[in-house]
Amino acid sequence: MKFVKRTLAAAATALLCSQAVAKNPLFDNVFTADPAAMVHDGKVYLYTGHDESPSNNVFFQMHDWLAFSSEDMVNWTQHGPIMKATDFKWAKGDAWAAHMIERDGTFYFYTTVRHKDDKPGFAIGVATSKSPLGPFVDARGSALVTDDMTKHTPNDWDDIDPAIWVEENGDTYMFFGNLMPKYVKLKDNLIELDGEIKTLDLPNFTEALWVHKKNEYYYVTYACEFPEKICYSMSKSIHGPWEFKGILNELAGNSETNHQSVITFKGKDYFFYHTGSLPPKPGQESGGRFRRSVAVEEMHYNEDGTIQRIHMTTEGVTEPAK
Ligand code: FUB
């Protein structure tokens, strides 16, 4: 029965190439990475990077960001690119990890790009739109964070992977970083920094911060070690101290990176991540370290607030959220 359902689903997908039915990886007509999910107006919007490297021997080639949406976490609609890295006039390219939030009818897209040569390395920009599907335009005309603003590591890619957290009183913080985790308050206009950039103490931190809250606990999940697993820490305050709770997700098949996003939707908790597990198509290389694909699983908490280890599956989410 399940097989018949999947076969029908596959036929429908072929006919309507903008529709996909959940299985892992979620999408097999395009390589997707660095998931950032947002719940808005009864839907899940999933924003991803777009791996276009022709081979797993050629470093990331990422030019734009893609958008998908779902009303039930099982049926997904593919909407196409919302923005290119070079839409930031001060950026050279490299559309790396991002995060979307909405406030008062405006969508704010915080994202990683490589700066043009007047500034070293990677930077974080912010773009806005009145629609969750764009088009997005640079909100400042300049980067929000540049590599020369922080000196914690010698790498010029240590200011990447923004993750936004909005407190109940509206105070908004941006978490970010590679090798050194950092956070900074944003001004009420959400496009300027408000105060100093602070650091966090997170064991074995690599990158890919994500902040969420469940009941009285804040959670910071992040890629740890390399190749990457996802670890997490918990706190009763957004300012810490953060208590390390260990590994949440294991090495993700055939990919050294492992970038997560956590949401609650229609009463269930979900964990998005990416793997390199798409099989090859005729004349093309398979998925892998530079040809990644987003997947999703349900996530479960224990009574004490800790999170159960993610069980990565090829079935993905099979029960529609109601
Ligand atoms: O996709 C490019 C980079 O790889 C991201 O910014 C990191 O989180 C890692 O997934």
Side-chain angles (χ1 to χ4, degrees), residues 33-34 60 62 96-97 112 160-161 207-208 228 257 259 274 292:
D34 302 330
F60 296 125
M62 304 180 78
W96 284 17
T112 314
I160 62 169
D161 294 3
E207 58 189 359
E228 296 173 350
T257 61
H259 190 118
H274 67 221
R292 300 162 295 175

Side-chain angles (χ1 to χ4, degrees), residues 29-40:
N29 63 340
V30 65
F31 287 106
T32 53
D34 302 330
M38 174 184 72
V39 176
H40 176 72

Side-chain angles (χ1 to χ4, degrees), residues 36 47-48 65-66 82-83 88 96-101 107-112 125-129 136-137 162 164:
Y47 302 95
T48 74
W65 296 274
L66 306 178
I82 56 161
M83 193 180 183
F88 292 107
W96 284 17
H99 190 136
M100 186 78 79
I101 62 164
F107 295 84
Y108 295 81
F109 187 61
Y110 299 83
T111 195
T112 314
V126 53
T128 54
S129 172
F136 280 82
V137 294
I164 307 298

Side-chain angles (χ1 to χ4, degrees), residues 12-225:
T13 306
L15 279 174
L16 274 173
C17 68
S18 63
Q19 294 288 318
V21 176
K23 55 183 175 355
N24 281 330
L26 280 177
F27 314 107
D28 60 8
N29 63 340
V30 65
F31 287 106
T32 53
D34 302 330
M38 174 184 72
V39 176
H40 176 72
D41 212 8
K43 281 191 187 179
V44 175
Y45 289 89
L46 172 63
Y47 302 95
T48 74
H50 181 190
D51 275 341
E52 295 191 89
S53 175
S55 155
N56 289 305
N57 295 320
V58 177
F59 194 64
F60 296 125
Q61 292 194 6
M62 304 180 78
H63 309 295
D64 54 13
W65 296 274
L66 306 178
F68 306 82
S69 68
S70 176
E71 290 181 15
D72 63 6
M73 290 297 295
V74 170
N75 296 285
W76 287 91
T77 302
Q78 186 170 339
H79 299 283
I82 56 161
M83 193 180 183
K84 305 190 296 295
T86 50
D87 290 338
F88 292 107
K89 294 293 173 238
W90 45 268
K92 255 186 183 174
D94 289 327
W96 284 17
H99 190 136
M100 186 78 79
I101 62 164
E102 182 269 348
R103 178 181 286 176
D104 298 334
T106 298
F107 295 84
Y108 295 81
F109 187 61
Y110 299 83
T111 195
T112 314
V113 285
R114 185 184 290 278
H115 206 286
K116 280 187 176 164
D117 290 343
D118 52 321
K119 294 271 183 191
F122 280 82
I124 293 174
V126 53
T128 54
S129 172
K130 288 289 177 192
S131 161
L133 300 175
F136 280 82
V137 294
D138 186 356
R140 294 168 46 95
S142 64
L144 182 59
V145 173
T146 51
D147 182 65
D148 52 1
M149 288 165 65
T150 68
K151 305 273 181 219
H152 304 101
T153 87
N155 303 338
D156 71 1
W157 61 92
D158 60 0
D159 297 305
I160 62 169
D161 294 3
I164 307 298
W165 175 254
V166 184
E167 287 278 80
E168 271 168 25
N169 67 3
D171 287 356
T172 304
Y173 297 91
M174 183 171 76
F175 289 68
F176 62 101
N178 174 288
L179 293 187
M180 175 58 80
K182 294 160 243 184
Y183 77 117
V184 62
K185 190 168 185 287
L186 298 181
K187 288 190 179 167
D188 285 344
N189 64 14
L190 299 182
I191 63 168
E192 288 177 89
L193 305 188
D194 186 6
E196 59 167 328
I197 295 173
K198 298 178 181 162
T199 59
L200 293 89
D201 182 14
L202 300 175
N204 307 326
F205 175 78
T206 305
E207 58 189 359
L209 285 157
W210 183 271
V211 182
H212 75 277
K213 194 176 180 201
K214 180 91 173 170
N215 301 325
E216 73 267 42
Y217 286 112
Y218 293 84
Y219 297 81
V220 62
T221 52
Y222 59 95
C224 52
E225 305 170 21

